């Protein structure tokens, strides 16, 4: 039962502090759509999505109107396509894109492969098709898992992904490499993530599930304004209490959508997901703690406190918390991160250190267009190592901006925002990436 006081607090968060439900994501299992004939498989995929998700957008809009809670995105995640594609995956990709348009969602995730221990023929076919698919579709998002704590790092896949990201950037150069904004490389990918571009419906998921991603960096910042100069114990407690309130609303929306669509409630992902709008920034939470810019000494400690307090507060507000659940630090999607990078306070190396304690990884970072495939693969390998060793999800979503150099700006628009092109370390790692093979799993992976 939600009390009157909570309702008034929620109204204030929505009206004054940029609070919203970032996404309702419908996970759909497509394993029963597999067929040796790519066209038949594509037709089955299209038909099932249009049938199951026909009421998703309408339901989200109804809840928005009735409860007064903004729901920014309605999305779909599907079974990794490499698991259902017995032949050419491109017809399936086009069917997914058409289905997304037909049901009216913002994005559809799951053009994905899980390659942390090796690759099937279907995985390799899907990887080879990613640049073409992302350059020719509008709603489709792609992800590849190249590492896990239990399996180690598949360096062959890491090497391939550097090349694929470069080619995707080239094919979408007229939009500043926008295709790469819809492509993410994971370590320890989760099966119930509602956020794009990394959402997919894992093999252990039910036939369908409603997963909700909340947001609210602005709400946390406003709460911290009331405890200026207080010790970090007070800061952590304030964040915990705020995260609880945010997650309660997410739980309400998830349960309501589940009931109206007669689809099981999956999880609430209690991540703080920023937008380019002022007042909706994770970086500004860090500056509210006393940093001049995100990236100043102490940033990693501040982010660790934030991420932990969000989890502790949110976990008590929902009976099923999942997904990524923490603080996101995407550069182009966070006005505070954009300002910090432009001022020189935030570097790629500092961002990498921050990913040791945040919710995901190196996200929405524009790099010079002449950055080599091997350098991108090296960045992926470093981030995968952080995830593997620390038993956490990490990811890389970088955009080589064709014709741009460090200091230039790329413009994506909407929630994807804009970003300064950040310099990368130019020393060679070519021989390192050429080795291939697999980096073994760490000793602490042996837990049985």
């Amino acid at each position: 039962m939600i009390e009157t006081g909570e309702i008034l607090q929620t109204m204030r968060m929505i009206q004054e502090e940029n609070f919203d439900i970032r996404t309702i994501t419908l996970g759909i299992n497509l394993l029963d759509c597999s067929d040796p004939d790519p066209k038949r498989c594509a037709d089955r995929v299209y038909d099932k999505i249009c049938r199951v998700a026909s009421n998703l957008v309408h339901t989200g809009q109804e809840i928005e109107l009735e409860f007064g809670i903004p729901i920014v995105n309605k999305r779909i995640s599907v079974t990794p396509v490499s698991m259902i594609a017995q032949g050419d995956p491109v017809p399936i990709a086009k069917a997914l894109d058409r289905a997304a348009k037909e049901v009216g969602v913002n994005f559809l995730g799951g053009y994905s492969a899980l390659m942390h221990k090796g690759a099937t023929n279907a995985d390799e076919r899907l990887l080879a098709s990613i640049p073409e698919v992302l350059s020719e579709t509008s709603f489709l998002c792609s992800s590849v898992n190249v590492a896990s704590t239990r399996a180690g790092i598949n360096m062959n896949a890491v090497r391939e992904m550097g090349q694929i990201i470069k080619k995707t950037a080239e094919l979408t150069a007229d939009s500043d490499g926008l295709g790469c904004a819809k492509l993410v490389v994971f370590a320890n990918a989760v099966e119930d993530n509602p956020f794009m571009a990394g959402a997919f419906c894992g093999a252990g998921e039910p036939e369908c599930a409603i997963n909700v991603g909340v947001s609210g960096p602005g709400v946390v910042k406003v709460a911290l304004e009331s405890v200026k100069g207080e010790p970090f114990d007070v800061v952590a407690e304030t964040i915990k209490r705020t995260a609880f309130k945010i997650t309660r609303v997410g739980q309400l929306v998830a349960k309501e959508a589940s009931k109206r669509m007669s689809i099981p409630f999956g999880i609430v992902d209690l991540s703080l997901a920023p937008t380019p709008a002022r007042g909706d920034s994770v970086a500004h939470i860090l500056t509210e703690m006393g940093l001049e810019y995100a990236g100043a000494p102490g940033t990693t400690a501040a982010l660790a406190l934030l991420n932990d307090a969000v989890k502790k507060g949110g976990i008590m507000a929902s009976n099923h918390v999942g997904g990524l659940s923490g603080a996101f630090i995407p550069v182009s999607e966070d006005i505070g991160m954009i300002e910090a990078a432009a001022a020189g306070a935030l570097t790629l190396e500092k961002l990498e250190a921050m990913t040791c304690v945040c919710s995901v990884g190196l996200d929405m970072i524009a790099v010079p267009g002449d950055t080599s495939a091997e350098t991108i693969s090296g960045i992926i390998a470093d981030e995968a190592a952080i995830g593997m060793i620390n038993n956490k999800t990490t990811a890389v979503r970088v955009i080589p901006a064709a014709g741009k150099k460090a200091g230039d700006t790329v413009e994506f628009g909407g929630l994807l925002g804009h970003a300064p092109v950040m310099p990368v370390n130019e020393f060679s790692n070519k021989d390192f990436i050429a080795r291939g093979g697999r980096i073994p799993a760490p000793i602490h992976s042996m837990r049985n």
Side-chain angles (χ1 to χ4, degrees), residues 195 268-272 307 310-311 321-328 359:
F195 288 100
V268 174
D269 185 319
L270 46 93
S271 295
L272 294 180
N307 207 56
V310 166
K311 291 178 189 291
V321 170
L324 301 167
S325 289
F328 290 175
S359 189

Side-chain angles (χ1 to χ4, degrees), residues 216-410:
V219 182
V220 176
K221 181 183 182 296
V222 170
L224 291 183
E225 289 173 359
S226 66
V227 293
K228 284 185 184 294
E230 295 287 347
F232 283 114
D233 317 72
V234 177
V235 171
E237 186 63 25
T238 302
I239 295 170
K240 280 165 57 181
R241 290 176 181 273
T242 307
F244 179 87
K245 295 172 189 175
I246 291 169
T247 310
R248 284 275 282 175
V249 181
Q251 171 86 355
L252 170 66
V253 169
K255 288 282 194 181
E256 194 64 29
S258 171
K259 181 176 73 176
R260 295 183 185 205
M261 294 186 68
S262 299
I263 290 174
F265 160 48
I267 56 94
V268 174
D269 185 319
L270 46 93
S271 295
L272 294 180
T275 71
R278 193 162 295 279
D280 202 21
S281 164
V282 169
H284 287 163
I285 297 174
L286 306 181
T287 57
E288 187 59 39
M289 290 189 202
L291 303 169
E292 183 178 2
Y293 281 107
T299 296
T300 306
L303 185 59
L305 182 155
L306 173 63
N307 207 56
D308 181 64
V310 166
K311 291 178 189 291
K312 286 174 178 173
I315 200 79
M316 299 299 293
S318 174
N319 55 344
H320 295 296
V321 170
L324 301 167
S325 289
F328 290 175
I329 53 171
V331 174
S332 79
E333 298 175 6
D334 186 315
I335 186 63
M337 294 290 179
I338 294 167
E339 292 168 345
L346 195 62
T347 64
L348 197 59
E349 288 74 20
K350 182 60 178 177
L351 281 163
E352 185 178 295
M354 292 163 69
T355 66
C356 297
V357 298
C358 81
S359 189
V360 193
L362 297 172
D363 196 15
M364 289 302 292
I365 297 170
V367 297
D370 61 0
T371 303
S372 70
E374 291 84 6
T375 294
I376 294 170
S377 293
I379 292 169
I380 293 169
D382 286 344
E383 197 60 33
I386 291 171
M388 175 184 73
I389 295 296
N390 292 299
N391 196 29
K392 70 184 290 289
T393 303
T394 54
V396 172
R397 186 164 48 148
V398 295
I399 300 99
K404 301 287 179 75
K405 61 184 186 302
D408 291 343
T409 300
V410 293

Side-chain angles (χ1 to χ4, degrees), residues 97-126:
D97 202 53
R98 283 189 290 112
K101 183 177 181 180
E102 175 64 25
V103 300
V105 295
N106 308 92
F107 286 112
L108 188 153
Y111 199 71
S112 307
L114 308 179
M115 303 175 61
H116 37 282
K117 202 169 185 179
T120 64
N121 292 334
D123 291 333
E124 293 291 0
R125 286 193 295 267
L126 184 133

